[in-house]
Amino acid sequence: MPKAGRYHEGVPCWVVLTTPDVPRAQRFYGALFAWEFVPTGPGEAVATRHGAQVAAIASAPRAASAAWSTYLACADLSRTVALIRAADGRIAREPYEVPDQGRAALAVDPLGAPFGLWQGDAVDGAGLVNEPGTLAWNEHLSPDPDAARAFYREVFGYGYDRPRAGHTLARVAGLPACGIGPADPPRTGAAWRTHFGTADADRAAARLHTLGGSVLTDPEPTPFGRSALVRDDAGAEFVLIAVPSDESAEAA
């Protein structure tokens, strides 16, 4: 199983679902990805797979939309917050302690995309990645990818490959970190998009549909694996993407 090591600066390391109905989300993702849940506070839980932490779910106001949030790793949270402000981003929630785990903050980039910051202590981020039922990729989509690239380069030191069809692979320490590209029509705002691995994208999309979710784009081949854009049964958007699976992993 691909266990994550230490996360480099600026690499997506964690994802959190905020939703008005946490028990409903636990039923949905438990059935879709075989996640188990450990309560961490009122209206909060950590999702695990094979005993490793893979994501979190937190309650949101009833009127709020359900959404997945991407958290980027940082070694010095206070320094990163200062860099974000200097680059015309803003801090939506000031740094706070997560007891026995690390420090976090919430930010919004100049394009309007919210994202989280995580300075790990005992918990560095997701403990299992790139296999069925776990975080596989993150990408930033906006109407102005050039502005997004400039912001994240200034804050996290991203390097970029040559753009292909407007999409760019961002690298940290020479390794792939995330993608930055144009927003899909008719989306007009900016957002980070979460990709979860699955052994079979077609099968997972069909399963999601029977659980009350929506398939926005049918599974299709991409350079990174067969994938589908979907929503859960509360409206939170994410991508299912096929990743290699060992014989013992449950197909999601």
Side-chain angles (χ1 to χ4, degrees):
M1 295 175 214
K3 293 186 165 93
R6 298 292 297 181
Y7 288 93
H8 289 292
E9 186 86 8
V11 173
C13 63
W14 189 239
V15 287
V16 176
L17 174 69
T18 50
T19 180
D21 192 336
V22 170
R24 173 181 177 178
Q26 290 176 323
R27 290 192 295 271
F28 180 89
Y29 288 97
L32 181 64
F33 291 138
W35 286 355
E36 297 180 339
F37 298 92
V38 179
T40 55
E44 298 179 351
V46 166
T48 68
R49 184 171 168 91
H50 302 306
Q53 296 187 357
V54 295
I57 297 178
S59 60
R62 287 286 171 183
S65 299
W68 280 101
S69 297
T70 294
Y71 281 67
L72 306 179
C74 58
D76 185 334
L77 185 57
S78 298
R79 176 180 179 273
T80 302
V81 163
L83 289 171
I84 288 170
R85 288 187 168 122
D88 295 327
R90 65 181 178 88
I91 302 304
R93 182 176 179 182
E94 295 292 335
Y96 60 96
E97 299 289 333
V98 180
D100 302 320
Q101 297 187 45
R103 300 178 71 216
L106 298 178
V108 181
D109 67 28
L111 287 303
F115 63 100
L117 301 167
W118 180 250
Q119 179 184 326
D121 185 6
V123 177
D124 208 41
L128 193 64
V129 296
N130 298 329
E131 75 159 40
T134 72
L135 180 63
W137 189 241
N138 301 77
E139 61 181 346
H140 182 284
L141 302 176
S142 81
D144 191 348
D146 287 339
R149 284 187 278 268
F151 172 80
Y152 289 98
R153 179 190 290 115
E154 186 171 349
V155 175
F156 293 109
Y158 283 0
Y160 298 107
D161 288 0
R162 184 184 300 275
R164 297 175 57 187
H167 290 265
T168 307
L169 178 66
R171 293 182 180 271
V172 173
L175 300 174
C178 61
I180 295 181
D184 303 328
R187 179 193 293 275
T188 57
W192 280 89
R193 180 179 286 170
T194 298
H195 295 57
F196 288 112
T198 175
D200 185 323
D202 294 85
R203 179 180 174 187
R207 175 65 171 155
L208 174 139
H209 186 71
T210 65
L211 294 171
S214 305
V215 178
L216 304 181
T217 62
D218 289 332
E220 60 183 4
T222 76
F224 310 103
R226 192 167 178 82
S227 67
L229 177 62
V230 301
R231 286 191 184 127
D232 68 20
D233 61 344
E237 187 177 291
F238 61 99
V239 172
L240 292 166
I241 185 164
V243 294
S245 172
D246 64 36
E247 293 182 356
S248 64
E250 295 181 47

